[in-house]
Amino acid sequence: MSTPREPLRAQVLQQMLVGPGLPLRRVEVVEESTSTMVELAAARRADPEAWPTPSLLVAEHQSAGRGRAGRSWQTAPRAALLASILLRPQVPAAALTWLPLLAGLATVRAVRATAGVEAVLKWPNDVLVEIPGAEPVDGWGTLRKLGGILTEVQPDGTVVLGVGVNVSQSLDELPVGTATSLALAGAATLDREVLLVALQEAFSQVAERWRDADGDALAAGLADEVAQVCATLGAQVAIERVDGSVLVGEAVGIGAAGELVVRPDGSAHGDDDLVAVVSGDVRHLRLDGGR
């Protein structure tokens, strides 16, 4: 077991995660990476046999980490869990839209199980925690961002899935006021090795159920489980869409492809008025879901 800001032990992670009956086929830990997603994709292209699926690349520090919509993800060295996994999901391509939500579900479960922190999801790919006593922030309330997830489909059909979780950062080490860390959330442990192993095990279990249902998250029961931990559902939201328009309404559900289903303000309450949002930046205007 490691302590905050101590190096991750690659040999320990390999013993716990790589081998028959275990989640992975390869784990590599590097001291620094520009972006684990970029470097893992490049490594796979350069030598596919050396990087079988599933393989994991973990960095102690990222100098140019990537977030959603091209945003940066920066942390102090060894203060966060920064990892990307190379996958070949054995599901129809149309089902891949569920991957960020399923990875988010696994992350929530790992954080709750290891750190004792009641993490929740913000659709489509953020992990949040409630900070009691925090000054409410417009669009966030007292929720703060603990982590994020990003996925990219590669030309060979594999997928690189990146996960970043803030672990031991102090308040002045966080880049924005809407971010937090496990340390600030009062976590029971800040051990990144424990969190990483729990995350990989949780994701492996979720992915197996998803695969066995041929990518049908509804049939697998995973859609309901995602909904149970999604703070966006039941909230009044404002969604800035790709075309620049803003949709305001109540988030009422998650669709068959993982889209956010919204009832626009001023609409009737029939199903014909519902709007399915595939992508967009979501702001929580009011949280009524209590998740």
Side-chain angles (χ1 to χ4, degrees):
M1 180 178 293
S2 65
T3 57
R5 308 287 171 106
E6 281 192 355
L8 292 168
R9 297 169 298 176
Q11 185 174 5
V12 170
L13 293 174
Q14 288 163 0
Q15 291 173 347
M16 299 187 74
L17 291 172
V18 179
L22 295 174
L24 302 173
R25 297 185 64 190
R26 178 174 178 176
V27 174
E28 290 294 326
V29 178
V30 296
E31 186 62 30
E32 183 168 337
S33 168
T34 54
S35 161
T36 57
M37 291 191 70
V38 171
E39 293 187 6
L40 181 54
R44 168 73 181 192
R45 289 193 301 270
D47 192 351
E49 291 186 4
W51 290 93
T53 57
S55 289
L56 186 72
L57 178 64
V58 189
E60 299 281 22
H61 176 59
Q62 284 189 151
S63 58
R66 299 171 62 191
R68 190 168 177 272
R71 300 183 182 97
S72 62
W73 178 281
Q74 297 182 353
T75 64
R78 299 176 182 168
L81 182 61
L82 306 165
S84 291
I85 184 170
L86 177 74
L87 306 165
R88 187 179 291 279
Q90 296 174 327
V91 300
L96 294 178
T97 51
W98 274 99
L99 254 182
L101 290 167
L102 298 180
L105 175 63
T107 305
V108 163
R109 289 179 171 170
V111 168
R112 290 182 177 186
T114 61
V117 171
E118 197 70 1
V120 294
L121 290 180
K122 176 187 173 190
W123 186 92
N125 61 347
D126 286 341
V127 178
L128 312 181
V129 294
E130 187 89 23
I131 304 297
E135 187 72 21
V137 175
D138 183 38
W140 293 80
T142 55
L143 289 169
R144 298 292 184 267
K145 182 173 177 176
L146 180 69
I149 295 153
L150 194 65
T151 60
E152 284 189 347
V153 179
Q154 304 302 306
D156 66 353
T158 59
V159 178
V160 176
L161 186 155
V163 178
V165 179
N166 294 329
V167 177
S168 63
Q169 291 98 321
S170 61
L171 196 59
D172 60 3
E173 288 178 311
L174 294 168
V176 293
T178 52
T180 193
S181 67
L182 287 175
L184 294 171
T189 180
L190 302 180
D191 190 321
R192 293 181 299 148
E193 289 177 1
V194 169
L195 178 60
L196 179 58
V197 171
L199 174 56
Q200 291 305 310
E201 290 177 344
F203 180 72
S204 179
Q205 292 166 6
V206 166
E208 182 178 9
R209 290 172 55 194
W210 185 48
R211 181 199 65 212
D212 289 349
D214 198 29
D216 188 336
L218 296 174
L222 292 167
D224 286 341
E225 292 171 25
V226 167
Q228 288 169 8
V229 300
C230 184
T232 305
L233 297 188
Q236 285 293 117
V237 296
I239 305 171
E240 184 176 347
R241 294 184 280 193
V242 176
D243 63 4
S245 65
V246 177
L247 174 66
V248 178
E250 180 188 2
V252 297
I254 297 176
E259 67 272 32
L260 186 66
V261 180
V262 177
R263 177 174 289 113
D265 281 358
S267 68
H269 285 267
D271 290 346
D272 291 343
D273 298 304
L274 299 179
V275 177
V277 178
V278 176
S279 63
D281 282 337
V282 177
R283 293 175 59 241
H284 290 171
L285 302 179
R286 189 178 73 248
L287 293 168
D288 294 333
R291 292 175 173 84

